[in-house]
């Protein structure tokens, strides 16, 4: 059974979103897109169980690879390549981030793209499925890596039933359930 995150975590999550999105309209837009895609009526319904492992990494990966409202994927990739820039997203056990790298002379042009990716991401179903399938493939490949296996085993043993027991990349089972 999926357990709902406790009030303290809900408060922390709500505060983190408020800090990352400065404009109230952007907060509402980000949550509405997230909630619509994952069929949640509120962030309070985010499960804290292992059933949702990998959801943050997947969302950040899709957000930073699918373009945005102003920059469709092909235009987004063309502009970033032309400027020698990159935008990427990832998460760890305690954080999630979106980063952009560029050369100094292209900072403001990159900032406009970066801002649009954060405030109006294009979360396309096809791109979502492609990224999800790529993550599942990576997880399958990791199973043959002894170091990855030992790390996962140690984390599961040392932090059983705590947030550090979770794998931020997800599992085949948790990612397969995301549609």
């Amino acid at each position: 059974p999926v357990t709902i995150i406790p009030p303290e975590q809900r408060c922390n999550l709500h505060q983190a979103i408020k800090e990352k999105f400065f404009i109230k309209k952007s907060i509402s837009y980000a949550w509405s897109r997230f909630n619509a895609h994952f069929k949640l009526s509120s962030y309070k319904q985010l499960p804290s169980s292992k059933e949702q492992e990998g959801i943050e990494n997947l969302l950040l990966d899709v957000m930073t690879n699918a373009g945005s409202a102003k920059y469709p994927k092909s235009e987004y990739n063309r502009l970033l390549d032309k400027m020698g820039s990159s935008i990427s997203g990832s998460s760890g056990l305690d954080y999630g981030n979106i980063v952009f790298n560029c050369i100094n002379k292209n900072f403001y042009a990159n900032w406009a793209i970066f801002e649009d990716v954060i405030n109006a991401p294009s979360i396309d179903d096809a791109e979502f499925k492609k990224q999800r399938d790529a993550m599942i493939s990576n997880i399958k490949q990791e199973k043959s890596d002894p170091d990855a296996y030992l790390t996962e085993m140690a984390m599961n043993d040392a932090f059983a039933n705590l947030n550090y027991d979770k794998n931020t990349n997800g599992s085949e089972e948790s990612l397969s359930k995301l549609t």
Side-chain angles (χ1 to χ4, degrees), residues 98-116:
I98 298 177
V99 177
F100 82 92
N101 293 307
C102 69
I103 56 175
N104 196 28
K105 72 177 185 173
N106 295 328
F107 178 82
Y108 292 105
N110 277 278
W111 185 260
I113 297 169
F114 182 69
E115 182 179 35
D116 202 50

Side-chain angles (χ1 to χ4, degrees), residues 81-144:
D81 286 345
K82 180 181 175 184
M83 294 185 284
S85 305
S86 65
I87 298 176
S88 61
S90 64
S91 67
L93 293 166
D94 295 316
Y95 66 91
N97 62 28
I98 298 177
V99 177
F100 82 92
N101 293 307
C102 69
I103 56 175
N104 196 28
K105 72 177 185 173
N106 295 328
F107 178 82
Y108 292 105
N110 277 278
W111 185 260
I113 297 169
F114 182 69
E115 182 179 35
D116 202 50
V117 164
I118 291 173
N119 291 321
S122 174
I123 302 179
D124 177 70
D125 284 344
E127 185 67 25
F128 177 84
K129 289 175 184 166
K130 179 180 150 191
Q131 298 295 96
R132 181 197 62 202
D133 292 347
M135 287 179 71
I136 290 171
S137 177
N138 288 339
I139 290 166
K140 288 178 180 178
Q141 187 176 3
E142 278 184 3
K143 286 183 177 179
S144 64

